[in-house]
Amino acid sequence: MLNATGVDLINQVVANPDAWYPSLNLQDWQELYRVPGTAPITLERQMLLAMADCNAKLAEWKAALLQAAVDAGDPVPGALPAENELDYEEAVYAQATALLIPLLPSLVTDERAQEALAQLQQRPRDYSTRSESRLGRITGATLGTGRLKAELI
């Protein structure tokens, strides 16, 4: 998003509204997406909204996973399986970025950063699509929501 220099990092863990999913750190999101730290409350809110959105999109998959464990007589998972954590984190960070983009002009106060922001032409849809793709990897959907160009023969 923005040049990494001048980004105030916020080392704050945001507790997930559903404890089955991992809590995430604002600093990790900032480092990966170069998110400005000028408004920590806004960042926390966007992260919580993104977590709730991703959790809702995974609700059916989670219910099926838990039910399959019960039906098989296996222990019921108490948390998101470790092999899905990276995809979940990336989905939340991408969704939080999509939610943040429309707010950036009011959050960025540095003149050079505003100029850089104007040149980026960030689109929330790009990040939402990335989030959907990562959630699709968790649920087993082929690629989440994306575009496929096909030609009939």
Side-chain angles (χ1 to χ4, degrees):
M1 270 192 169
L2 299 175
N3 187 337
T5 60
V7 173
D8 298 323
L9 296 176
I10 304 164
N11 186 12
Q12 176 185 337
V13 174
V14 178
N16 201 307
D18 181 342
W20 196 78
Y21 296 101
S23 297
L24 301 175
N25 194 315
L26 291 177
Q27 183 174 336
D28 295 338
W29 175 34
Q30 288 183 276
E31 289 174 342
L32 288 169
Y33 284 87
R34 291 181 274 155
V35 173
T38 54
I41 294 172
T42 301
L43 296 185
E44 180 181 12
R45 181 168 181 77
Q46 301 315 304
M47 178 78 75
L48 285 168
L49 290 170
M51 286 174 168
D53 186 42
C54 290
N55 295 354
K57 290 175 181 175
L58 291 173
E60 286 183 32
W61 171 81
K62 176 185 170 187
L65 181 73
L66 298 178
Q67 188 59 51
V70 169
D71 293 346
D74 294 335
V76 176
L80 179 70
E83 65 267 14
N84 300 122
E85 284 185 16
L86 186 60
D87 286 320
Y88 179 80
E89 289 175 15
E90 182 62 34
V92 171
Y93 295 153
Q95 185 61 26
T97 303
L99 295 170
L100 183 65
I101 288 172
L103 304 176
L104 282 175
S106 65
L107 298 177
V108 176
T109 56
D110 178 74
E111 189 173 316
R112 287 186 309 170
Q114 285 180 340
E115 290 173 10
L117 184 62
Q119 294 174 358
L120 286 177
Q121 299 177 341
Q122 300 279 332
R123 294 188 314 232
R125 176 104 175 113
D126 296 340
Y127 291 96
S128 294
T129 300
R130 183 180 197 153
S131 177
E132 291 288 334
S133 177
R134 288 300 191 143
L135 294 174
R137 289 177 65 171
I138 293 172
T139 62
T142 53
L143 293 174
T145 59
R147 296 190 180 167
L148 175 67
K149 187 174 182 179
E151 186 175 314
L152 294 176
I153 300 175

